[in-house]
Each structure stands twice: as C-alpha cells, then as structure tokens.
Amino acid sequence: MTSTRELYAFLTFTAMMMVYHCKADFPPPPTGLTFKWLDPLAVNVSWQNPSGLQDGAVIYKIQLKGFEQTVKCLSKKYLINSSLIGSDHWTYQVWTVVGNCLSTNESKKVDITINSPKTQVKLKDTKCIIYTEGMNCSWKSTNKPFNLSYRTCEHLKPLRVCDRPYSSAERSGCYLKDNDVCILVETEAGWSTFKPRFVIHPPKLIIKEENDYLTLKWKHQSIGKCKWNFRVCYTRCNKSEICIQSEGPSKIPYDKDCLYEFRSRTETKSYCSNVTSDFSDVVKYGSNKPPDQTLMVVAIVVPIILSVCIILSCYCFRKHSSILCPIIPDPSAIFKEIMINGNKDHKTTGNLYTPVPEPIESCKVTAVAQNSDLEQIS
C-alpha cells in the first residue's frame, strides 16, 4: 500500500513539473554582441540586455567555443580575456539564465566570432628555459627581423618591449625576468601570440657500476621547493628502448658485454607548476663485446669432421668388403650335401699323383782287421 502511494505521488509530481515547464517561457538571448581589442593579447566581449528584460532580471553565461569546460557565470554584460593567444580567430557563445547559475531555464546560445587584428604567423618549438636569474624564451622561425613584447597573462598591464633580443641560425628569442608571461612577436609577415612552455636544462646523469647493476643518479637545477620525477630511457646491445621513472636514484641490471645508451629528462610533480626538461644528449656506458666464437666453431667444424670420417669409412669398407665381410656358406646347404653324398664312393677323375722314386745308393761294408787299426792308432 505504501509503495502504491509513493508511486502515485511521484507520478503526480512529474506531471506537475512537466506542466510547469510547458507553461514557462524560456528567457530571450542577449542582444548586440560586440568585441573590442584592448591590445594584441586582450579582447573585451560585451552585449546588451535581452529584449523586454531589465538589468538584474537575468544572469549570463559565456564560454569560448571548443573549451566548453570553461563556462563562466556573470552578472555583468561583458568579459575581458587578457590572454587570447595562439589562433587567428575565436568564437564565444553567450546566453541568459533565469535564477542562479545552476538553473536550466536558459535561452539559446548566441555566437560571436573574433578575428585577429593581424595575420597570424606560426612559430615552431616555442619554449622558455628557466634559470635562477630569469629565463630565455626562444622559438624556431625563418621570419626575421622581429620585435618581441610581453606582459603577464592574468593581469591587463601595458606591454613591455624586450631589451635583450638575440637571433641565430637556428633560434631567435629574448632574455626575460618574469615567469608567467604571454608573448607577442611581430615580423614583416605578421605576428604571433603565444604562452610558451617552461623548461629547465636536462639533468646531468651520473652512472656508477656496482657488481651486476648500474646505479643512476641525477644532478639538476632546483626551482623553489618543487619535487621532481626523473625519466630515463636506455638501450642495451642495440635492442629496443626501455624507459623507467623514479623520484631518486635507480638501479638496472648490467650486462658487461653490452653497450648502454642513456637519455634522461625531469619534470615537476603534479602539485607544482608544469615545468619539464627536454631529453638530454645520449650518454654511453660500456661496449659491445664480440660473442664467444668457440661454440660457433665447434658447431661448424665438428659436423664437417664427422662427415669426412663417415665418407672415408664407407669408402674403405666398400673397397675391402671381401676381406672384412667374407661370404659364409649356408650351413643348411652344407648339412644337406653331407646327408646326400655321405655314403657314396667318391670317384676320382684324372691321374693320381705318383711320387718320383728317389735314387738309392748301395752301401759297401769293408772289414778291417783289428790289429791294423790298433797299429795305426799307436
């Protein structure tokens, strides 16, 4: 019974809300949208009251198209963006809301497109290298000469001109002392506005061999009290690259027969400003030693020797097969022949061998008188 009452109450409330929204009129959108550039980095977007409404009757929402997560709720009828950079046009959307910023009773959105006052020139690899005494902001560009102006991004202050510009074959830039800056670079082809990424010099990698491991340590530039993460990527014996990340010294297995190639970088942790370094130059450790050829030699030479020996053995066996393997008569055939021919007289054919008679000499015995012999002896 209770569940039936709750269901009835829910359906009644839903029906009432639907009727309320059907009867309610959505507020009209703002009118008279316009913009004005305050300097090359800042623009003021403004609008008028919606038709038939007075000041204070509604509030306004505004967002930069493509950045829907940055919706701003305002009671005033203008918005100043002090760091409109990095493009040649932007589109803002403005609409009115009845009630508070969370209300869904709102008007349709009205667009206004803002074009850059001058032609935008794309600069490559813009960055600011931070030092203890300042920073070096530079970029890659073929558009020379140039003029550089800057100011802080969050506050609408007058632009300041760079007093320490430089230009080289690869990069152009300026030495600055402020940290959070938006930069304007003017050339003959046009201008470019950007907020550079902040970097520090790559850390110095220290490698120490300990038994079967390599201990990796870093020396780097400190900025405030920020903690750092270190990232090192290495290859061994020209194999695929391996990357590891740590907050302090690291150990990796060491193969003494391999050449190791290291490159490293550092970056601040999430609770500090986003500052990173580029990867360092490659640091080499160890050398690629030639592999042991003993097993290879054994694997090649031994089969060859065995093959030659087998071939020679086969040749000798075939040549002297009559000696090594004489033909042995079948014992059953011998036994059978004995049984068949054993009781028969063997007939001889041909002449038998007759020995040649030997000559016999006659023996003549002569009697000798005993006295004559004795006389001769005496």
Side-chain angles (χ1 to χ4, degrees), residues 22 53 57 74 149 175 181 233 271 329 377:
C22 289
L53 296 180
L74 306 171
S149 304
Y175 293 99
V181 293
C233 298
Y271 52 81
I377 294 170

Side-chain angles (χ1 to χ4, degrees), residues 239-260:
K239 296 182 179 179
S240 58
E241 189 176 59
I242 301 173
C243 294
I244 58 175
Q245 185 166 309
S246 67
E247 299 179 7
S250 300
K251 281 188 176 183
I252 61 171
Y254 178 45
D255 185 351
K256 296 183 180 180
D257 294 335
C258 284
L259 172 66
Y260 286 72

Side-chain angles (χ1 to χ4, degrees), residues 203-219:
K204 180 181 179 182
L205 181 61
I206 301 173
I207 305 172
K208 185 178 179 181
E209 181 179 344
E210 295 180 356
N211 298 325
D212 295 331
Y213 292 88
L214 291 179
T215 301
L216 309 178
K217 296 181 180 180
W218 291 271
K219 284 186 177 181

